[in-house]
Amino acid sequence: MRKRFVIYITTLVLFCASFILAQDKGPQFIAIKDVTIIPVDGEDIAEGTVLIKDGLIEAIGKNINIPEGAKVINAKGLFAYPGMIDSLCYLGLQEIGSLRATIDSRETGRLNPQVKSVEALRPDSIHIPISRANGITAAVVAPLGGLIAGQSGLIRLKGWTTEEMIIKSPVAMHINLPTIARPRFRRTTRPQEQASKQIKELKELLNKARFYQKRKQAAKKNMLLPMPGFDEQLEFLLPVVNGELPVMISVHGEKDILDAIKFAKEEKLKAVFFGVTEGWKVADEIAKSGIPVVFGSLYAMPPKWEDGYDSLYRNPVVLQKAGVKIAFSSQSATLAKDLPYHAAKAAAFGLDKKEALKGVTINPAQIFGIGDIMGSLEKGKIANVVLADGDILEQGTHIKHVFIDGKEASLTTLYEELLEKYKKRY
Amino acid sequence: MHGSGNPIGGENIVLKMKWGKALEEMIVHEAYRTLKFALGENPKQANRFTMTAPRYPQSRMGVNAIIRREFLKAKDYMEQWDRYFKAKKSKKSVKNLIAPRKDLRLEALVDMIRGKMAARCHTYRADETLEFIKLSKEFGFKIACFEHASEAFKIAKELVGENIGISIFLDNWAYKVEASEGIAYNAAYCTKNGVLVSINSDSSERIRRLFNDAAKAMKYGDLSKEEALKLITINPAIQLGVEKIAGSLEVEKHGDIAIFNEHPLSAYTRCDMTIIEGEVYFDRAQYLKEREEMEKKKKEKEKKKEIKKKKVGGKK
């Protein structure tokens, strides 16, 4: 009996060892040399080296010794950027727009703090590799709809399962205040909904949640007090009222923004604003509040013609100059790959090019609380590195290599697969 | 251009963006006449869920059958008129000769058969595109261009053979099933295989950044800057039949010029001036000046209001 057990144990150990050894087969070091480094939060480095070890950036700069046995990538003529971060998208939640069966981004009802976007995430989505092949390595996947849409998650754009992809979940609770009513086909304008009404409702809800928590705590201490009945909505709002989970508030109108600032302050929420279409009208107030802003897709028409044809494009420019921390988002799944071009559009209308780049790298990392491990090329940070043959925000630039967690990721997408398939015809 | 809800839409026009001018001055008469056709999910109402009663057609079979039916009607109509004219001309004049009833819908299709008008056809799937080419041969009409043509890369050979161009989105895709194989390489791949390609916007928003879309053809499929720029200049001009007056900067052509602050295919570019036939229709410097003045006026108004308020407060 004992003999058998020993044999069993030794085979198990051998099996495990072979597995570990097999996994360790790859080179310990990856060295990207002769590359122009754009670290984002530091000075650019010409002909530098990025050394990657165990998924992290081991060393970066000039005159770096490349250890023996390292896999060397000669990147002459290429530029090294940190992987971009999409601050809000529907990757993995939306596949084909018109096919309801492939859309999992919106739940019915107005108050859904309990739903989590990552639980509907489809790692096999055809759109994820396309974003990755354009230099985007992480994304906030957010739910849509209602007053409280649900919880978003931050994912890396690589992995076979959701578990392998999650960096942080939940990352924020999503609240939607009214958008700006646009006149439709010159017909009479819809009456503008006021955010104040929704904010009042939210305040009541948050107060209820606080009271619910107090009653629960009291009941735990004192057996004689009744335990409050389980309330799903209040239960999932507790991390919000406790300031543990940030809220991303989609807010647009000038007055609504001011109301939302007041709301976040009074309720002591960790707030991030989304959209902020009329932010440029109250830039100083937003800057004073310290609330960061994530812009929605700039592939949109300005909601009010009297604000000018470029009001959406100049919005980031004005806010950044006022001192607001800004980030860009694709607000899409099928065109999530276009994230860098939203930033470039703002740059075309006056945003400093470096600030535009920060809006898709270090700023989102800081906004979502991972600024110490991601968002720039720095020693000790996760090795999310993109090698491009030009400016990463330019449409004509080719992405040559993408490293996620220090490992080279595939750049093949459905685009190439289909193209190759039909090339065989000729 | 007409919408794509019906297999046969109506006649299209080419406009110049002469904002503020009378419609008659905006129409480009040099362009040749085209009639809109539509295939696939839109005419078969595949994505309508609030339908009260299903309408014929509900399938691609029905779409083609409708187009064929209308052309057969048009042929019949042609024949009736031909017979009428023959009878009128003949020496043995028939008594009480009645002319056939005039049908303006069929007149348009007769113009198609007679080659006075060409088809512009909305299509996504490669198979339906080829079926439409077959239809055009059945009735002898010309195809000016295919719209969307998401799967043109699958049938580049046939398109080159028939000498038909495509007007496509660069990378807008997967918004419906028939658009879910519309890859971003379509434009560059078809161009390199000899198809005349243009990029369209199909939207009042995307039209504002058409040059950004064209630039992506350099990324997906390695078109040169010149080739990519052609996708939104001379190529569409050829497709519309206005290449003699527009689409490039040449002596004797119309003075339609866009001035950018950087190369139009750079992501950092911005249009600073638009000139049509020598007349400035957009000037960013002027726009900024006007905006500044408007903002000044607004501030002054607000100040006045505040002073008034203070005065009222003082009286109390």
Side-chain angles (χ1 to χ4, degrees), chain A residues 75-110:
Chain A
K76 201 157 196 172
L78 298 184
F79 299 81
Y81 285 89
M84 289 184 278
I85 303 168
D86 194 342
S87 294
L88 189 136
C89 69
Y90 311 120
L91 279 174
L93 302 183
Q94 296 181 346
E95 218 49 46
I96 295 173
S98 72
L99 264 192
R100 196 175 165 270
T102 67
I103 306 293
D104 278 301
S105 47
R106 186 190 294 263
E107 194 42 77
T108 183
R110 286 184 73 241

Side-chain angles (χ1 to χ4, degrees), chain B residues 19-42:
Chain B
W19 174 246
K21 288 277 154 68
L23 176 64
E24 198 46 45
E25 288 176 67
M26 295 170 91
I27 296 174
V28 182
H29 293 285
E30 287 88 342
Y32 53 73
R33 292 173 64 205
T34 55
L35 190 64
K36 165 93 177 208
F37 288 80
L39 310 174
E41 288 182 22
N42 289 13

Side-chain angles (χ1 to χ4, degrees), chain B residues 127-160:
Chain B
D127 51 294
E128 69 190 18
T129 312
L130 294 179
E131 286 308 315
F132 191 76
I133 294 177
K134 267 198 217 163
L135 264 179
S136 79
K137 286 184 177 162
E138 198 176 320
F139 295 99
F141 63 83
K142 276 188 236 158
I143 302 170
C145 184
F146 282 115
E147 248 69 51
H148 304 311
S150 283
E151 297 186 357
F153 68 99
K154 299 182 181 178
I155 49 165
K157 194 162 53 176
E158 283 82 356
L159 291 173
V160 172

Side-chain angles (χ1 to χ4, degrees), chain A residues 349-362:
Chain A
F349 283 79
L351 183 64
D352 182 66
K353 283 184 188 180
K354 280 195 169 168
E355 292 299 330
L357 185 61
K358 280 184 184 173
V360 290
T361 52
I362 187 70

